Amino acid sequence: MTTPIGDIPASSIPAARTWIFEGLQAQLAGAQGVLVCLDEPGTYQPDDIISVGDVHQQYSPESVVGSGGSHWLREDYTITVTVDVYRGGDDPVTVFARARQLADLVVAVVRSDPSLGGAVDRGKPGTVQHTSGWSEDHKGRQAVVEIGIDCLKTL
């Protein structure tokens, strides 16, 4: 017996990304000089940017017996959220502290609902990478924190 195409669940990635994006927007609604965006920012680039971006995904069968319908396929993926903070001048302590503050907010939003609004079975902060130093033009300090949000959904 086969499963009709219309009965096979679609990927949870669009809903998970949107939930993280909207959650961050809600938390920073009144904040001045902070941009929350999907993917790369456009021409408006304030000193504090949080982008919900790239996704790395892997599928694996959850069950090798059955029709291929609901709960047959396991979807594992990581959504990368990038925090990018810039300040003119030479104050690496303040720049790094602000980047870490915004990174902690990303983690708190995910931890507030590990189902990401019901989009996934489990979402959690995973890998984090900090990069800091002079900006490309050497006119200020920049700190970038990349946070991998690990997600699991059985489709």
Side-chain angles (χ1 to χ4, degrees), residues 44 50 53 68 102 108 121:
Y44 172 63
I50 302 174
L102 292 173
D121 298 333

Side-chain angles (χ1 to χ4, degrees), residues 15-46:
R17 275 180 33 122
T18 299
W19 188 89
I20 293 169
F21 169 69
E22 290 175 352
L24 290 167
Q25 276 192 318
Q27 290 299 311
L28 294 164
Q32 295 292 324
V34 179
L35 172 66
V36 178
C37 58
L38 282 171
D39 302 320
E40 294 290 319
T43 56
Y44 172 63
Q45 294 190 15

Side-chain angles (χ1 to χ4, degrees), residues 17-147:
R17 275 180 33 122
T18 299
W19 188 89
I20 293 169
F21 169 69
E22 290 175 352
L24 290 167
Q25 276 192 318
Q27 290 299 311
L28 294 164
Q32 295 292 324
V34 179
L35 172 66
V36 178
C37 58
L38 282 171
D39 302 320
E40 294 290 319
T43 56
Y44 172 63
Q45 294 190 15
D47 289 346
D48 297 346
I49 301 171
I50 302 174
S51 62
V52 179
D54 293 342
V55 178
H56 298 277
Q57 177 185 23
Q58 180 178 338
Y59 285 121
S60 60
E62 188 67 9
S63 170
V64 292
V65 178
S67 65
S70 186
H71 305 295
W72 182 82
L73 191 64
R74 177 178 167 144
E75 181 179 50
D76 288 287
Y77 56 91
T78 301
I79 300 170
T80 302
V81 179
T82 302
V83 173
D84 190 333
V85 173
Y86 168 83
R87 297 290 185 275
D90 186 12
D91 186 0
V93 172
T94 300
V95 174
F96 187 86
R98 176 62 173 158
R100 192 61 244 182
Q101 179 187 32
L102 292 173
D104 288 342
L105 177 64
V106 172
V107 170
V109 165
V110 171
R111 290 181 65 194
S112 73
D113 181 358
S115 77
L116 307 183
V120 298
D121 298 333
R122 183 190 72 230
K124 65 180 183 65
T127 61
V128 178
Q129 179 176 338
H130 298 80
T131 307
S132 57
W134 286 103
S135 61
E136 288 182 20
D137 60 6
H138 293 276
K139 293 184 179 179
R141 291 290 186 156
Q142 184 174 16
V144 177
V145 182
E146 290 187 355
I147 307 154

